[in-house]
Amino acid sequence: MAFSAPVQLYEIENKNGMVLSVINYGARIVGLKVPSLTGKVVDVVCGFKNLEDYQKDEFYFGAIVGRVGGRIFPTRVMIGNREYNLTVNNGDCHLHGGMNGFDKALWSVEVIEEKDGVQGLLMRHVSPAGTEGYPSEMLTEVEYRLTNDNELVIKIKATCDDITLASIPNHAYFNLGGPEEATVYDHIVSIAADSYLPVNENTVPTGEIKSVKDTIYDFRKPRRLGDAIPMTPKEGFGYDDYWCFAQAPSQAPKHAANVYCPKTGINMEILTTQPGILMYTGNYLHKAVIGKYDEVLDKHGAVCLETQGYPNAINNPTFPSVEVRPGMPYDHTTIWRFSKVKHKHDSISNQSKA
């Protein structure tokens, strides 16, 4: 990968050979090399070779997105007691913070290291009041910390001087099989959620919260994505949906989801303080998207698992609020915990289409 000032590449490694690669453009994770059962180290995060590809990127590869992840519609919103017009950048919707969101910002970087040898990066970005239509200046801090237990701990904090909105996920695209694995169809996924948010034709939540029982959204038991995706609407277009764990964030990270690749034996457990998770199966990727190993990143070639607040919460009063205020900062933690597992999930659930 080639980057030049002012964009810099930062790499940190733990004692097990796990390597995290991050650039300050969009605070993006551009690589995450993880030990596999075969003895090889596998890069499980998809990305590009150079800055130009990231600047043209319309899929938010590896980026921190915000101020608010997901689609907001209508874009004229009430925040506090005032109306604001958010930037429209996806059909009639405001998506992932607008035209110039966190994914396009240059973040400051501080390398951090603790006594136990655990390394990390602290990245900061100041978003001025009025950016993409949002009120208040916002200082966002993202901490990436790689532990010797093969965990990547992601802490995201945001403070403001007036009421505004914040729901800030990382938008990494995972393929635990590495660049040689063309799709994620053999990945086995479970999501620890009893409910999900139905969406309309524009992939905006309708405001309902429904049980996953007897639906294609039931991932409480592990399911192979290659069996689940063909059951989705629009002739198996794929998942771009949000699962709900709770009506409020938790104080400490809790188990949220699990992904396993039989080919490499790499298992990723996701823990989070967020009230839910969005799974996106790379439905809009296409053959012209070329990755950093010259691999084709085609449709369903990767999966995103974005821990965040309920999408479009500002327009749905029954959803947990994503408002932040002075003295009430945004403060969330997500952990990606990697391990090597042989013959995981001997029995795989195949749900019938509801």
Side-chain angles (χ1 to χ4, degrees):
M1 292 182 287
F3 301 96
S4 57
V7 174
Q8 296 293 329
L9 173 67
Y10 299 83
E11 291 193 328
I12 54 178
E13 183 174 357
N14 71 7
K15 67 179 183 181
N16 306 313
M18 185 171 168
V19 181
L20 169 69
S21 302
V22 176
I23 58 173
N24 58 328
Y25 178 72
R28 294 174 186 249
I29 296 175
V30 298
L32 186 60
K33 295 178 180 177
V34 178
S36 71
L37 265 185
T38 65
K40 293 176 59 178
V41 175
V42 176
D43 193 345
V44 299
V45 169
C46 303
F48 302 117
K49 283 185 176 181
N50 53 55
L51 175 60
E52 289 73 21
D53 289 334
Y54 281 106
Q55 289 174 323
K56 293 183 293 185
D57 172 31
E58 58 182 310
F59 301 110
Y60 305 88
F61 272 86
I64 292 292
V65 297
R67 298 182 186 188
V68 175
R71 291 172 178 83
I72 295 176
F73 181 84
T75 56
R76 186 172 181 86
V77 297
M78 183 72 71
I79 304 174
N81 296 316
R82 296 184 62 185
E83 284 190 338
Y84 297 88
N85 290 306
L86 303 182
T87 303
V88 176
N89 66 315
N90 182 261
D92 294 327
C93 301
H94 174 89
L95 175 67
H96 292 333
M99 296 292 293
N100 292 289
F102 290 176
D103 61 295
K104 293 181 175 62
L106 279 176
W107 296 61
S108 66
V109 183
E110 177 185 343
V111 179
I112 50 179
E113 188 165 352
E114 291 185 345
K115 292 180 181 179
D116 60 2
V118 175
Q119 297 185 77
L121 300 169
L122 179 60
M123 316 190 80
R124 294 186 177 93
H125 170 61
V126 176
S127 174
T131 300
E132 301 299 311
Y134 289 100
S136 181
E137 180 178 278
M138 176 180 283
L139 168 63
T140 304
E141 297 183 332
V142 175
E143 182 181 295
Y144 294 122
R145 195 177 289 274
L146 191 60
T147 78
N148 287 322
D149 294 322
N150 285 1
E151 294 177 337
L152 179 59
V153 181
I154 305 172
K155 295 183 178 181
I156 304 177
K157 299 180 180 180
T159 55
C160 55
D161 54 23
D162 197 0
I163 185 171
T164 189
L165 307 180
S167 179
I168 308 168
N170 179 280
H171 205 291
Y173 283 76
F174 295 101
N175 188 322
L176 303 189
E180 297 175 358
E181 193 80 352
T183 72
V184 290
Y185 292 151
D186 282 337
H187 285 42
I188 298 168
V189 174
S190 61
I191 301 174
D194 295 327
S195 56
Y196 75 102
L197 301 183
V199 296
N200 63 20
E201 64 278 3
N202 295 317
T203 325
V204 176
T206 63
E208 301 172 280
I209 302 175
K210 287 191 173 182
S211 170
V212 300
K213 185 178 180 181
D214 299 325
T215 75
I216 61 169
Y217 305 100
D218 192 349
F219 279 84
R220 291 175 295 181
K221 292 182 179 179
R223 298 174 66 193
R224 180 178 174 272
L225 285 180
D227 297 328
I229 288 174
M231 298 179 179
T232 58
K234 300 179 184 178
E235 299 180 342
F237 190 65
Y239 289 95
D240 190 359
D241 298 279
Y242 186 86
W243 282 258
C244 314
F245 310 133
Q247 275 289 312
S250 59
Q251 292 298 311
K254 294 183 177 180
H255 173 76
N258 202 90
V259 187
Y260 173 67
C261 176
K263 178 182 176 181
T264 59
I266 294 176
N267 189 78
M268 180 177 72
E269 180 187 7
I270 299 174
L271 304 93
T272 189
T273 58
Q274 291 279 19
I277 192 168
L278 189 143
M279 180 169 70
Y280 169 60
T281 51
N283 311 330
Y284 291 100
L285 298 179
H286 52 79
K287 294 184 184 299
V289 183
I290 306 300
K292 57 182 179 279
Y293 298 100
D294 293 322
E295 78 277 24
V296 175
L297 297 172
D298 203 355
K299 184 177 181 179
H300 304 153
V303 59
C304 302
L305 291 152
E306 306 159 52
T307 52
Q308 61 186 74
Y310 285 36
N312 204 33
I314 188 61
N315 290 313
N316 288 285
T318 60
F319 290 179
S321 175
V322 295
E323 291 184 346
V324 290
R325 304 167 183 266
M328 298 177 62
Y330 179 92
D331 189 351
H332 284 284
T333 300
T334 292
I335 300 171
W336 300 343
R337 178 180 292 163
F338 292 90
S339 58
K340 296 178 288 185
V341 180
K342 183 180 289 188
H343 305 309
K344 190 177 179 69
H345 306 315
D346 289 330
S347 61
I348 302 173
S349 173
N350 289 298
Q351 303 291 332
S352 60
K353 187 171 181 178

